[in-house]
Amino acid sequence: PYLIKCLIIYFGINHACMKLDYMNSVQLSLTLTALSLMMWWLFDRTVCGLAVGVIATLLLITLSQIFVYQGFARYKRPDFFFLRSWLPSLVFGAVITFGTIGRQLSAFKLSHIHDE
């Protein structure tokens, strides 16, 4: 049930990115940052999980900016889907979700080993 709640919230945040109307990208970024931190607080609460999420997000932002500046990627319209606003929160939430999945699988494996 714990893992299912985490997945539902992760997909709910992703769905909210595309369905809710925001006035500007700053409002979207702040909302998604708050939701991502809430997700971390509900399902992880470890400094390691927070650090890995922040590092992965910063690496993604850096890599995407390098691609844009080198000409490998470009925005044809002025950030039509607010991509730069929701992508970092999406990555951070994915790190927390997959970390939770990994912990649940390892706990299941350990309990299965101890039962035998």
Side-chain angles (χ1 to χ4, degrees):
Y2 185 73
L3 180 61
I4 293 171
K5 288 178 188 176
C6 184
L7 288 170
I8 288 171
I9 288 177
Y10 177 70
F11 287 119
I13 290 171
N14 295 335
H15 187 69
C17 289
M18 298 307 292
K19 294 295 180 183
L20 296 177
D21 290 329
Y22 292 96
M23 297 305 237
N24 56 29
S25 61
V26 174
Q27 182 184 14
L28 175 64
S29 293
L30 292 175
T31 303
L32 292 176
T33 300
L35 288 172
S36 295
L37 289 173
M38 179 199 66
M39 184 176 171
W40 169 78
W41 181 255
L42 289 174
F43 298 107
D44 195 353
R45 290 189 192 179
T46 62
V47 176
C48 182
L50 181 64
V52 170
V54 169
I55 289 169
T57 302
L58 291 175
L59 285 174
L60 174 86
I61 291 169
T62 303
L63 188 64
S64 67
Q65 290 303 314
I66 289 171
F67 282 170
V68 169
Y69 289 134
Q70 294 297 320
F72 296 123
R74 68 186 145 195
Y75 299 106
K76 292 185 179 182
R77 296 182 194 171
D79 203 8
F80 182 65
F81 292 113
F82 297 124
L83 179 67
R84 290 176 274 184
S85 299
W86 60 261
L87 193 58
S89 295
L90 183 75
V91 170
F92 183 82
V95 168
I96 299 303
T97 301
F98 286 113
T100 302
I101 290 170
R103 274 191 300 284
Q104 293 290 322
L105 287 175
S106 68
F108 175 75
K109 185 177 179 181
L110 287 176
S111 69
H112 185 65
I113 289 172
H114 290 302
D115 288 343
E116 292 178 355

